[in-house]
Amino acid sequence: MTIQELKDKNLLLLECISGSKAYGLDTPTSDTDLKGVFYLPKDMFFGTNYIPQISNETNDEVYYELGRFFDLLTKNNPNLLEMLASPEECILYKHPLMQILTPDLFLSGLCKDTFAGYAISQIKKALGYKKKIVNPMEKEKKEVLDFCYILDGYSSLSVKEWLLRKNYVQESCGLSSIAHTKGMYALFYDTTGENKYKGIIRKTEANEVSLSSIPKGENPIAYLSFNIEAYSMYCKEYKEYWEWVDNRNENRYAGNQQHGKNYDSKNMMHTIRLLQVAEEIFKDGKLNIKRPNREELLAIKKGDKEYDELVKMAEDLMSSIEYYASVSNLPASPDRTKIEQILVKIRTELYG
């Protein structure tokens, strides 16, 4: 089922403009994000074709089945609570049955983790983004040989440099493991040209060193260390970095490069926004979507503040949230019995 089919079959219960336009933080280049709630035809709901969520290809239009909507609200999911508290001008359609749903039915102490906890995860994400910008990775991937070293007295020498100095080739080398050691190998060299050994690696794409059968009486000419932990970490970071490059929003990336602060400024803006919203929830018992401090938040998005300054702001907001949460009158969690009764009432009206 598609979003258009939901609309054609009059299955919509709620449809709202969400995101920056709902927060009052939109700019001329902002997209229009939509969120909504629907109910399934009776045969699909009671049958085996239950669909909890429908979205478009870019995920900027997401619609939730009524039960899924209630479930996420009960868990104090920020996106769904914000949709329920949408400003009137952002509500495109609202079924009369949805009038009985208000944010105060769901707001609870869980918001400390769902709003503030999510915001902290975004700070970590922004730090990872900063690390990727500051430390770009070469497209040409390093190989196992780049993490191998030859012991040289009290120091070590990269195996590539050692091979160059000796005028050796890695294909003529043979490795034998050394008992009771990790990543240490005795290295032998075939000067006969008979290809007695398998080389340090069999091919450039290898993920480990290659061991050879060493004839009795052969003496090693050196000892090699393979730092497999560093190699594994590099492979992980390489994969993450180039997946990030392939999937990043180029316009957003260009904007972050332009302000030169080396962090995802849009991400940090929404992090501070979420923390401020959480503070208000516990301080005032209300969920305010449209932000009164538009200029401050857009300044963050423009990169007018340093990353460390924003982290300090987030830490101060977290301390404030902890205090107001400790003295708040909000329940620890929503009243599930009451919410269940409302859901049953709405479904009964819809299905008869």
Side-chain angles (χ1 to χ4, degrees):
M1 183 174 287
T2 65
I3 294 173
Q4 189 57 50
E5 286 175 324
L6 289 178
K7 297 179 179 181
D8 292 343
K9 295 179 180 180
N10 295 317
L11 296 171
L12 276 187
L13 296 171
L14 180 66
E15 186 176 46
C16 306
I17 295 173
S18 63
S20 59
K21 292 188 177 180
Y23 308 138
L25 300 175
D26 54 306
T27 60
T29 59
S30 296
D31 296 326
T32 299
D33 297 331
L34 297 177
K35 282 189 171 60
V37 182
F38 66 93
Y39 72 101
L40 289 167
K42 191 173 182 178
D43 60 332
M44 292 184 67
F45 176 68
F46 287 102
T48 59
N49 294 320
Y50 177 76
I51 302 173
Q53 191 170 312
I54 298 174
S55 61
N56 65 353
E57 291 182 356
T58 56
N59 259 347
D60 52 13
E61 296 182 17
V62 185
Y63 293 74
Y64 303 86
E65 196 278 327
L66 182 63
R68 173 71 169 158
F69 180 58
F70 266 73
D71 179 50
L72 292 173
L73 283 174
T74 305
K75 294 174 180 176
N76 282 191
N77 177 284
N79 288 331
L80 278 296
L81 283 173
E82 288 176 347
M83 176 165 57
L84 188 60
S86 295
E88 285 298 322
E89 65 271 20
C90 292
I91 299 176
L92 303 179
Y93 173 74
K94 193 171 190 178
H95 191 286
L97 287 173
M98 300 296 283
Q99 299 292 347
I100 59 176
L101 290 182
T102 54
D104 58 275
L105 283 169
F106 301 94
L107 291 178
S108 74
L110 297 178
C111 289
K112 186 165 72 111
D113 290 329
T114 57
F115 278 80
Y118 177 75
I120 294 303
S121 73
Q122 293 305 295
I123 291 176
K124 294 178 180 177
K125 181 179 177 181
L127 182 59
Y129 182 99
K130 180 179 181 180
K131 181 180 177 181
K132 288 180 175 67
I133 294 178
V134 175
N135 302 294
M137 301 191 79
E138 295 289 338
K139 184 62 177 177
E140 184 178 353
K141 189 178 179 182
K142 293 181 181 180
E143 58 181 339
V144 164
L145 288 179
D146 293 302
F147 295 85
C148 291
Y149 301 87
I150 299 296
L151 298 186
D152 185 16
Y154 292 102
S155 62
S156 63
L157 181 69
S158 75
V159 73
K160 286 187 172 181
E161 178 64 23
W162 181 81
L163 290 169
L164 188 64
R165 290 184 183 183
K166 293 285 189 179
N167 199 26
Y168 288 166
V169 292
Q170 75 89 13
E171 290 81 3
S172 296
C173 294
L175 296 182
S176 176
S177 57
I178 301 175
H180 311 300
T181 66
K182 181 180 179 181
M184 287 294 300
Y185 304 89
L187 186 147
F188 303 80
Y189 195 78
D190 176 20
T191 58
T192 66
E194 298 176 358
N195 298 321
K196 292 193 300 181
Y197 304 133
K198 296 179 180 178
I200 299 174
I201 56 173
R202 292 197 178 191
K203 55 184 179 180
T204 304
E205 299 80 14
N207 288 318
E208 56 186 17
V209 295
S210 180
L211 298 181
S212 299
S213 297
I214 308 299
K216 285 186 178 181
E218 294 279 341
N219 293 316
I221 61 170
Y223 292 93
L224 178 142
S225 170
F226 171 39
N227 191 340
I228 190 168
E229 288 83 5
Y231 175 71
S232 297
M233 180 61 70
Y234 166 79
C235 289
K236 178 175 179 290
E237 292 178 350
Y238 179 91
K239 180 175 181 291
E240 290 176 352
Y241 177 82
W242 286 103
E243 283 181 352
W244 169 74
V245 170
D246 290 340
N247 297 323
R248 71 190 177 195
N249 182 313
E250 289 301 329
N251 290 333
R252 188 163 165 181
Y253 175 72
N256 291 326
Q257 289 290 83
Q258 188 173 12
H259 64 59
K261 295 296 174 61
N262 296 328
Y263 64 80
D264 188 338
S265 55
K266 183 176 180 180
N267 178 279
M268 288 302 289
M269 175 191 72
H270 285 300
T271 296
I272 298 301
R273 176 189 63 80
L274 274 172
L275 290 172
Q276 291 172 342
V277 169
E279 181 185 43
E280 292 166 3
I281 288 173
F282 290 107
K283 184 179 180 181
D284 306 322
K286 296 180 180 180
L287 175 55
N288 302 310
I289 303 304
K290 186 143 291 192
R291 306 314 302 151
N293 57 331
R294 169 183 164 88
E295 296 307 319
E296 177 190 41
L297 291 170
L298 288 182
I300 295 173
K301 183 180 178 182
K302 285 166 54 181
D304 290 348
K305 295 184 180 293
E306 298 296 331
Y307 178 78
D308 292 341
E309 183 182 357
L310 294 174
V311 171
K312 177 65 167 59
M313 186 185 300
E315 290 172 347
D316 291 343
L317 282 166
M318 279 299 302
S319 297
S320 180
I321 291 167
E322 290 286 351
Y323 168 73
Y324 285 116
S326 69
V327 298
S328 171
N329 292 323
L330 290 176
S333 61
D335 185 339
R336 285 185 172 270
T337 301
K338 184 177 182 180
I339 292 168
E340 181 91 5
Q341 291 171 348
I342 294 173
L343 176 58
V344 171
K345 180 180 179 180
I346 294 176
R347 285 210 191 279
T348 302
E349 290 288 336
L350 291 171
Y351 295 123

